[in-house]
Structures are given as C-alpha cells and as structure tokens.
C-alpha cells in the first residue's frame, strides 16, 4: 500500500512541514510513503471557462496532472493544512479549483481510482477548534468529490511555529497509528 502525505501550506520549513515529516516517518513504518508540498508545483488559477465540464480536460497545461498522478498512485492520502483566515491556504484552494476535471459533479470526468482513504490534519495558532473544523470541511468536501473516503481527523490548536510541534509529537504518532 502507498501513502501520500501533502503539505497544503506554501511554507516548506514551518510547523505544517514538521507535522508532515513526523507523519511521513510514522507511515513509512507500514506503507510506501511519499511526501509532497503544494509549493513544489507550478500551476495557474482556474479560469472558470468550464471546458472541463464538456471534455474532462483543463485547457491550462501545467503541473496539476503531476499532482493528480500522485493521488492516483496512493491508497492513503493525508492532507495537512494550516489555517489561513479560518480555512485552507489559498494555494491549496487554487489546486482544488483546478481539480474540477476529476470531480464527480459533471460528465464526463476523470477518476483517480476507487477505495482510497483520506485523512485530514488541521493546525492553527489560536486555542479553539473552530477554525480546524472549517479546514476539515474543505478537505473532506474535496475528498468526497474525488470518491476518497474521509477516515480520520487530527486538529492541533496553539501551533504557531515549528517549535510548537515537538510537544505534540505523541498526539501525531497516536493519530498515525490509526491510519
């Protein structure tokens, strides 16, 4: 089985990246594991032309198919996202918008295969889970349109930087044990 762990943040060295590193290390004990960062790919915003609703292809040629190939090859997908104004980072939202050719909202549409399991990790700097819930809703909504079964969540509050992750390591490892 293959696991894909996604840093949904554009920051490659921050708290989210550290969480992705811990999750990847733990999952690598059980699965063939790959980590990616949304910022490692170049892609444009959706233009809203709806061509993909007719053709199941986007008119923009960039790295979106490369990311979707990673999704297709994975059995397990873990998305780790920090709160950017109470939701997922804009870069990841732009990626989701560009995944319309794979979404089940129209015919024809592409598919990434069935039977995939999805997990969500949300983090925020404040003490309340409210913003984490918004992130979970966005990620699980996306999973739903790709036919990825949402199977688990981990919300981490009061995480502002990489140093705040270390005291939460046991909590992260416990979450990974359920994947």
């Amino acid at each position: 089985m293959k696991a894909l762990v996604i840093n949904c943040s554009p920051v490659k060295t921050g708290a989210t990246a550290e969480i992705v590193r811990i999750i990847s290390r733990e999952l690598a004990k059980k699965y063939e594991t790959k980590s990616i960062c949304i910022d490692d790919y170049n892609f444009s915003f959706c233009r809203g032309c709806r061509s993909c609703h007719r053709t199941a292809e986007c008119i923009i040629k960039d790295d979106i198919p490369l990311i979707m190939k990673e999704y297709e090859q994975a059995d397990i997908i873990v998305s780790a996202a920090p709160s950017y104004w109470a939701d997922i980072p804009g870069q990841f939202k732009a990626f989701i918008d560009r995944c319309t050719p794979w979404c089940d909202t129209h015919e024809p549409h592409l598919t990434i295969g069935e039977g995939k399991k999805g997990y969500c990790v949300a983090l925020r700097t404040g003490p309340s889970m409210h913003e984490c819930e918004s992130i979970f809703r966005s990620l699980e909504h996306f999973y739903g349109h790709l036919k990825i079964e949402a199977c688990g969540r981990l919300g981490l509050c009061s995480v502002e930087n990489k140093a705040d992750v270390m005291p939460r390591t046991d909590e992260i490892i416990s979450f990974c044990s359920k994947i």
Side-chain angles (χ1 to χ4, degrees):
M1 298 226 349
K2 294 182 179 182
L4 175 65
V5 186
I6 304 165
N7 180 351
C8 302
S9 168
V11 182
K12 297 179 188 183
T13 59
T16 307
E18 182 63 14
I19 292 165
V20 165
R21 187 189 67 73
I22 294 167
I23 292 170
S24 296
R25 181 191 71 213
E26 291 301 309
L27 293 185
K29 294 174 183 177
K30 300 189 276 189
Y31 309 111
E32 183 181 330
T33 303
K34 182 170 185 177
S35 304
I36 63 172
C37 179
I38 197 65
D39 200 52
D40 288 338
Y41 298 88
N42 294 309
F43 55 88
S44 301
F45 294 109
C46 176
R47 296 182 186 156
C49 70
R50 295 181 168 255
S51 291
C52 62
H53 286 239
R54 293 183 308 280
T55 65
E57 285 187 43
C58 185
I59 62 168
I60 303 169
K61 304 302 176 207
D62 56 18
D63 288 348
I64 294 295
L66 296 174
I67 303 170
M68 292 311 292
K69 185 175 182 181
E70 299 293 350
Y71 274 73
E72 187 170 322
Q73 293 174 348
D75 303 295
I76 297 162
I77 298 159
V78 181
S79 301
S83 174
Y84 278 35
W85 288 100
D87 211 333
I88 58 176
Q91 291 86 340
F92 201 73
K93 173 64 168 82
F95 160 68
I96 290 173
D97 289 345
R98 287 289 309 287
C99 289
T100 302
W102 288 268
C103 290
D104 64 352
T105 57
H106 54 84
E107 292 295 339
H109 68 275
L110 302 173
T111 63
I112 58 166
E114 295 186 17
K116 298 179 186 304
K117 308 279 186 199
Y119 298 84
C120 303
V121 178
L123 60 144
R124 67 173 304 246
T125 59
S128 163
M129 280 296 290
H130 182 70
E131 288 182 22
C132 290
E133 292 294 332
S134 295
I135 293 166
F136 295 145
R137 278 192 298 278
S138 292
L139 293 173
E140 290 171 352
H141 183 92
F142 175 57
Y143 284 170
H145 283 296
L146 296 178
K147 303 293 187 222
I148 298 169
E149 179 186 357
C151 294
R153 304 169 157 190
L154 174 63
L156 300 168
C157 298
S158 302
V159 176
E160 187 162 347
N161 54 49
K162 205 172 179 177
D164 296 329
V165 175
M166 183 160 316
R168 310 297 288 276
T169 301
D170 289 344
E171 192 176 351
I172 298 165
I173 291 171
S174 177
F175 172 73
C176 292
S177 72
K178 299 170 189 147
I179 298 175

